[in-house]
Amino acid sequence: MNRLYHYPLSPFSRKVRLTLAEKKLEVELVEERYWEKDPEFLRRNPAGRVPILKYGNRLLAESNAICEYLEELHPTPPLLPRLPEERYEVRRLVAWFDDKFHKEVTSKLLGERVFRKVMAAGPPESANVKAGARAIKEHLDYMAALLDQRRWLAGNDMTLADFAAAAHLSCLDYISDVDWHRSEVVKDWYAKIKSRPAFRSLLADQIPSFLPPPHYADLDF
Amino acid sequence: MNRLYHYPLSPFSRKVRLTLAEKKLEVELVEERYWEKDPEFLRRNPAGRVPILKYGNRLLAESNAICEYLEELHPTPPLLPRLPEERYEVRRLVAWFDDKFHKEVTSKLLGERVFRKVMAAGPPESANVKAGARAIKEHLDYMAALLDQRRWLAGNDMTLADFAAAAHLSCLDYISDVDWHRSEVVKDWYAKIKSRPAFRSLLADQIPSFLPPPHYADLDF
């Protein structure tokens, strides 16, 4: 059985979980409190972070390398388009969310509000929370600008770019940090992706002492 | 003519420059002081950073998306192997250097010693410089462990993983922050990659008020 070492509110773990589920690859989920640097976990991944996928007898690290590998081994249903120009746009947006959005928004909001607490690293820094709350607005507007012209973020088909974005936004939605009233197209996009069977396991996540709001798992929110 | 908006000591720009040169794609280099947030530059790239490649009439951002795109359009000479397992390993290592190495080493050494000065952001934080100097040792040892078993970082052929690593190390070598005595195999690997024609343009870089040490451009160092 394949096994994913993950943390429920890690957007990088969620992107891989969505990819595995969309491709109907079964996986046993093992929650990993990676910041506790368990020596056994560090042996599995010298980079010391989640997700790690045990796939057959290989241990795979780095969420993008994992997703591209799964896409090459299991091309159906496709999560990357066929034309180089379209594939470029998917990869650009995956980097946008996993790098820029993560730095400006996820690390500021989820990092301060949740990870500081579970890692016992002190109270949230309010300046960071404020900066994250400001930045998410610009990002939602950027997504709206894309979705005004496309059915999905990178084009007319659902791709890894949608999974990367939804992985971050679903973590933030778990702590009620997404203002879904800001853009109708973004809300419609999220309702569409949230209702996919691949999303179910994410909507069932529960972190002790951080219960999600009722709308989190409501497909019609 | 294709055009690359870059900064000479940006490792992400250097990775793209190496890829373009290795594939013999001519490009005009335009130096971009991206932190000055020139409105014209921000229009070209809403993410506000280098490199940006003007390729035909398209503007491309995000160094990995660009390199994968160039690889798909110009597969010869290959910078990604053919088997999914081998491609995975290249992508894992590109992420290792561009993400982990960048955060732990490049941003700490180059960020403090050079970028703070050129961006007029105050004197270097010595705690960061110390942390970077400590971390680079572990990374060089990790590279040595890989190179003890492989001709190149990801396997028996030179790939994007070597370019990602060499892009970071060459920037650090420019400020004499790489201890080449630490590992013979790493030094041999760097001598091999440094002597490629694709590397020439990097070795000719000069940043005013930061002249490189004599060994920087010496192929036999």
Side-chain angles (χ1 to χ4, degrees):
Chain A
M1 179 75 161
N2 301 319
R3 188 179 293 162
L4 188 74
Y5 299 91
H6 80 124
Y7 187 71
L9 290 184
S10 145
F12 306 101
S13 301
R14 286 186 165 213
K15 184 180 58 184
V16 173
R17 287 163 72 190
L18 289 170
T19 302
L20 287 162
E22 190 71 22
K23 293 184 179 289
K24 304 213 183 339
L25 297 167
E26 284 197 30
V27 74
E28 178 194 352
L29 291 176
V30 178
E31 186 173 324
E32 190 69 61
R33 294 168 68 85
Y34 57 93
W35 55 89
E36 292 173 357
K37 298 195 183 296
D38 172 56
E40 187 59 23
F41 179 66
L42 287 178
R43 196 186 54 75
R44 283 194 291 268
N45 179 18
R49 53 188 186 180
V50 290
I52 297 293
L53 178 63
K54 183 170 170 296
Y55 192 77
N57 54 12
R58 302 192 69 199
L59 283 170
L60 311 173
E62 295 301 336
S63 67
N64 281 325
I66 294 172
C67 289
E68 295 258 4
Y69 178 64
L70 294 173
E71 178 69 18
E72 292 185 355
L73 287 191
H74 305 279
T76 314
L79 292 174
L80 273 177
R82 288 183 60 183
L83 293 178
E85 287 70 23
E86 295 172 353
R87 297 162 72 83
Y88 157 77
E89 181 65 355
V90 174
R91 291 180 175 127
R92 179 185 77 81
L93 286 168
V94 169
W96 179 283
F97 287 101
D98 282 350
D99 201 0
K100 188 176 165 71
F101 186 97
H102 180 257
K103 193 163 140 191
E104 293 173 1
V105 181
T106 314
S107 72
K108 297 274 197 296
L109 294 174
L110 199 70
E112 295 293 340
R113 285 197 211 267
V114 174
F115 284 91
R116 266 198 196 261
K117 187 160 175 187
V118 296
M119 295 178 184
E125 294 260 4
S126 65
N128 281 341
V129 174
K130 272 184 203 155
R134 232 181 357 253
I136 194 175
K137 292 182 188 168
E138 289 167 30
H139 280 279
L140 289 172
D141 292 348
Y142 181 62
M143 291 175 71
L146 294 174
L147 291 166
D148 270 339
Q149 303 182 15
R150 305 166 172 182
R151 287 187 58 219
W152 295 91
L153 284 172
N156 283 325
D157 296 305
M158 188 185 70
T159 66
L160 289 174
D162 299 287
F163 282 181
H168 285 273
L169 285 171
S170 64
C171 289
L172 295 166
D173 193 36
Y174 188 98
I175 53 170
S176 298
D177 265 348
V178 186
D179 173 12
W180 295 113
H181 296 299
R182 191 165 179 92
S183 155
E184 202 61 36
V185 284
V186 175
K187 188 180 172 186
D188 289 349
W189 163 85
Y190 190 64
K192 207 160 58 172
I193 203 164
K194 189 178 172 181
S195 66
R196 295 186 82 81
F199 229 83
R200 273 181 213 147
S201 130
L202 276 56
L203 300 181
D205 280 345
Q206 300 251 325
I207 311 274
S209 76
F210 288 95
L211 291 185
H215 78 261
Y216 172 74
D218 176 1
L219 297 188
D220 295 319
F221 65 130
Chain B
M1 179 74 160
N2 301 319
R3 187 180 293 163
L4 188 74
Y5 299 91
H6 81 124
Y7 187 72
L9 289 184
S10 147
F12 307 100
S13 301
R14 286 185 165 214
K15 184 179 59 184
V16 173
R17 287 164 72 191
L18 289 170
T19 302
L20 287 161
E22 190 70 22
K23 293 184 178 288
K24 304 212 183 340
L25 298 167
E26 283 196 31
V27 73
E28 178 194 352
L29 291 176
V30 179
E31 186 173 324
E32 190 69 62
R33 295 169 66 87
Y34 57 95
W35 57 89
E36 291 172 357
K37 297 196 182 298
D38 172 54
E40 186 58 24
F41 179 66
L42 288 177
R43 196 187 55 75
R44 284 193 291 269
N45 179 18
R49 54 188 186 181
V50 289
I52 298 293
L53 178 62
K54 184 171 169 295
Y55 193 75
N57 54 11
R58 303 192 70 198
L59 282 170
L60 310 173
E62 296 300 337
S63 68
N64 282 325
I66 293 172
C67 289
E68 295 259 1
Y69 178 65
L70 294 173
E71 178 69 17
E72 293 186 355
L73 287 191
H74 305 280
T76 312
L79 292 174
L80 271 176
R82 288 185 59 185
L83 292 178
E85 287 70 24
E86 295 172 353
R87 297 162 72 83
Y88 156 78
E89 181 66 355
V90 174
R91 291 180 175 128
R92 179 185 77 81
L93 286 169
V94 170
W96 178 285
F97 287 101
D98 282 350
D99 201 0
K100 187 175 167 71
F101 186 97
H102 181 256
K103 193 164 138 191
E104 292 173 1
V105 181
T106 314
S107 72
K108 297 275 198 296
L109 294 174
L110 198 71
E112 295 293 340
R113 287 197 211 266
V114 175
F115 283 92
R116 266 197 197 262
K117 188 161 176 188
V118 295
M119 293 178 184
E125 294 259 5
S126 66
N128 281 341
V129 175
K130 272 184 202 153
R134 232 181 358 253
I136 193 174
K137 293 181 187 167
E138 290 166 30
H139 281 279
L140 290 172
D141 292 348
Y142 181 63
M143 291 175 71
L146 293 173
L147 291 166
D148 270 338
Q149 303 182 15
R150 305 167 172 181
R151 288 186 56 219
W152 295 91
L153 285 172
N156 283 326
D157 296 304
M158 189 186 69
T159 64
L160 288 174
D162 299 288
F163 281 0
H168 285 272
L169 284 171
S170 64
C171 289
L172 294 165
D173 193 36
Y174 188 100
I175 53 171
S176 298
D177 265 348
V178 185
D179 173 12
W180 295 112
H181 298 299
R182 192 165 178 92
S183 155
E184 204 60 36
V185 283
V186 174
K187 188 179 172 189
D188 289 349
W189 163 86
Y190 190 63
K192 207 161 58 172
I193 202 163
K194 189 176 171 182
S195 66
R196 295 187 82 81
F199 229 82
R200 271 180 214 149
S201 132
L202 275 56
L203 299 181
D205 280 344
Q206 300 249 327
I207 311 276
S209 76
F210 288 95
L211 291 186
H215 78 261
Y216 173 74
D218 177 0
L219 296 188
D220 295 319
F221 64 133

